[in-house]
Amino acid sequence: MVVGPYRGLFNGPGVKAFVLAGFIGRMPMSMLGIGVVLLISTLTGSYATAGAVAAATNVSFAIAAPLSGRLVDRFGQGRIIAPFAVVNGLSLVALMLCAGFGLPDWTLYASGLVVGATSLSIGSMVRARWSVIHGGSDRLHTAFAFESVVDEVVFVTGPALVTVLATSVNPYAGLVVALVCMLLGCLALAAQRRTQPPVQRVRSAGGTPILIPGIALLSCVYLALGAVFGSVDLITVAFAEEQGVKSASGFLLAAFAGGSMVSGLWFGSRRWKISLRGRFVRALGVFVVGLLPIMFIGDVWIMAGALFLAGFAISPTLITGFSLTERLVPPSLLTEGMAWISTSIGFGVAIGAWAGGRLTEMYGASNAYAFSWGAAALAVAVGIGGSGLLRLPEASSPAKS
């Protein structure tokens, strides 16, 4: 049964509250990028500019996420989340105003950089709470699987919601809803002190988690995967417009995330005999094979089915990556360690959004998908080539988790 392992996961005190807050607070991560692309491309007519601003936002997030993660580990989630959320909201309002008044492009980049720098890795903070509750037990695998499913629910609903709002209501409407979700979710999570990880006053020797070889390898793999996500997001919007149904772009992106959501539920419900390292490498291989057909499709509905199937390997790859991170980093660096995964994805998304915009304008959307496949192939090559760095000590091996 798929549902069985998830029963009882939310029975602890305060668990349901932080799960709900984390879900709402994570909605902007799927809405912001496409919302910026839709707003700026609508107002300027340039996908290149839209992709570049989205890329700048993601680069800024990628640089700042480990730093905010370190602040959270040192001072606690409750003291860090609220001020970041307020500044993030103000900077997003500034971005929309700059776009609306037709101010010079540099103002879009400047406000976008602040938006990215103050965006928090809410998923990492929620996973850190799960690690405190179920650390060292088989239930942590199930909890991480659930969180990956939540991520995919966010990516199923978010792009579709922001696309409908931006194309049918107002170009700004999607970003306004993202702003409201960010403030509600972040402030609610900050208020829940009972389930937050304890503050680690004494930091482990070794400095930053990125110096751990296994974390460095995972970061490189997720950099390439982020490029897949960023390019597919932007190219798919352009593909839908080429087919004369731009409003269907949110549905196409939802199909991509929907495949990942389905596989995540199944993956988290199983007890695996294969090691985490083995699961990780296999998931990467499935991903690159699944992406291949999208380069050769010219029909929106067939593309929706292909993207759904291509998304099947996303959740297993994320679940195993976060599980490996939880075992590779010391507890005092847990939030920062997980933030390095998010920051790598963020850098990759920035690269993918920029490259996707340029290639789409030069060669068309269908041809630009070749970049997405190439990035996935690179992730497989790096993951397989360096998989020895992910080998865990026998005592902490999750092979039976």
Side-chain angles (χ1 to χ4, degrees):
M1 291 290 292
V2 172
V3 177
Y6 295 94
R7 291 196 183 103
L9 192 63
F10 314 102
N11 290 340
V15 171
K16 294 185 181 70
F18 82 71
V19 166
L20 179 59
F23 170 71
I24 296 172
R26 259 180 287 186
M27 283 297 294
M29 77 178 183
S30 70
M31 301 175 70
L32 186 60
I34 189 172
V36 168
V37 167
L38 288 169
L39 175 65
I40 295 177
S41 65
T42 298
L43 297 179
T44 68
S46 172
Y47 277 106
T49 300
V53 174
T57 302
N58 279 291
V59 166
S60 181
F61 167 75
I63 293 172
L67 301 178
S68 60
R70 177 165 291 221
L71 289 174
V72 167
D73 283 332
R74 178 167 292 181
F75 299 108
Q77 294 184 10
R79 293 178 61 185
I80 299 301
I81 293 176
F84 269 71
V86 172
V87 177
N88 184 254
L90 293 174
S91 58
L92 183 55
V93 170
L95 174 61
M96 290 188 282
L97 290 175
C98 291
F101 285 110
L103 298 183
D105 285 353
W106 70 264
T107 63
L108 301 177
Y109 292 112
S111 52
L113 287 172
V114 181
V115 170
T118 54
S119 295
L120 293 169
S121 182
I122 297 299
S124 297
M125 296 184 191
V126 173
R127 286 178 173 90
R129 293 185 185 227
W130 281 120
S131 296
V132 172
I133 296 171
H134 293 303
S137 74
D138 289 346
R139 306 212 74 176
L140 187 60
H141 166 78
T142 305
F144 280 179
F146 171 78
E147 288 304 319
S148 288
V149 171
V150 171
D151 285 340
E152 300 313 329
V153 170
V154 167
F155 277 99
V156 166
T157 57
L161 176 61
V162 75
T163 303
V164 169
L165 291 171
T167 58
S168 302
V169 180
N170 184 281
Y172 304 92
L175 290 178
V176 171
V177 172
L179 170 62
V180 172
C181 288
M182 182 276 297
L183 287 174
L184 288 177
C186 287
L187 295 179
L189 188 65
Q192 297 171 44
R193 304 291 181 104
R194 178 170 53 176
T195 54
Q196 74 174 2
V199 175
Q200 301 286 345
R201 295 296 181 185
V202 180
R203 301 188 61 80
S204 299
T208 173
I210 197 63
L211 299 179
I212 300 171
I215 299 300
L217 176 75
L218 288 172
S219 296
C220 291
V221 171
Y222 283 112
L223 177 69
L225 289 180
V228 177
F229 303 150
S231 59
V232 166
D233 279 0
L234 190 139
I235 296 168
T236 299
V237 174
F239 173 83
E241 185 173 23
E242 286 181 1
Q243 302 303 311
V245 282
K246 185 175 181 179
S247 60
S249 57
F251 171 75
L252 292 175
L253 295 175
F256 191 43
S260 180
M261 180 178 67
V262 171
S263 68
L265 281 170
W266 169 79
F267 189 81
S269 69
R270 296 199 58 185
R271 291 183 178 273
W272 294 91
K273 294 182 180 179
I274 305 171
S275 69
L276 270 175
R277 183 169 62 102
R279 281 176 262 165
F280 182 69
V281 170
R282 285 168 173 79
L284 287 174
V286 172
F287 190 41
V288 73
V289 172
L291 275 177
L292 188 60
I294 69 173
M295 295 185 290
F296 308 103
I297 295 172
D299 179 86
V300 170
W301 300 110
I302 296 176
M303 179 64 83
L307 286 170
F308 181 82
L309 293 176
F312 264 60
I314 297 176
S315 273
T317 306
L318 293 175
I319 293 166
T320 50
F322 278 111
S323 295
L324 284 165
T325 300
E326 189 269 337
R327 288 169 170 82
L328 287 168
V329 302
S332 62
L333 298 172
L334 183 58
T335 305
E336 185 183 350
M338 291 187 177
W340 274 108
I341 301 300
S342 298
T343 205
S344 300
I345 294 174
F347 269 122
V349 168
I351 295 170
W354 174 82
R358 293 292 180 183
L359 293 172
T360 296
E361 292 196 345
M362 293 171 64
Y363 303 108
S366 293
N367 292 325
Y369 277 126
F371 173 84
S372 305
W373 186 85
L378 178 62
V380 173
V382 173
I384 293 176
S387 62
L389 298 175
L390 303 177
R391 190 174 285 109
L392 300 167
E394 191 67 28
S396 61
S397 175
K400 297 181 180 181
S401 65

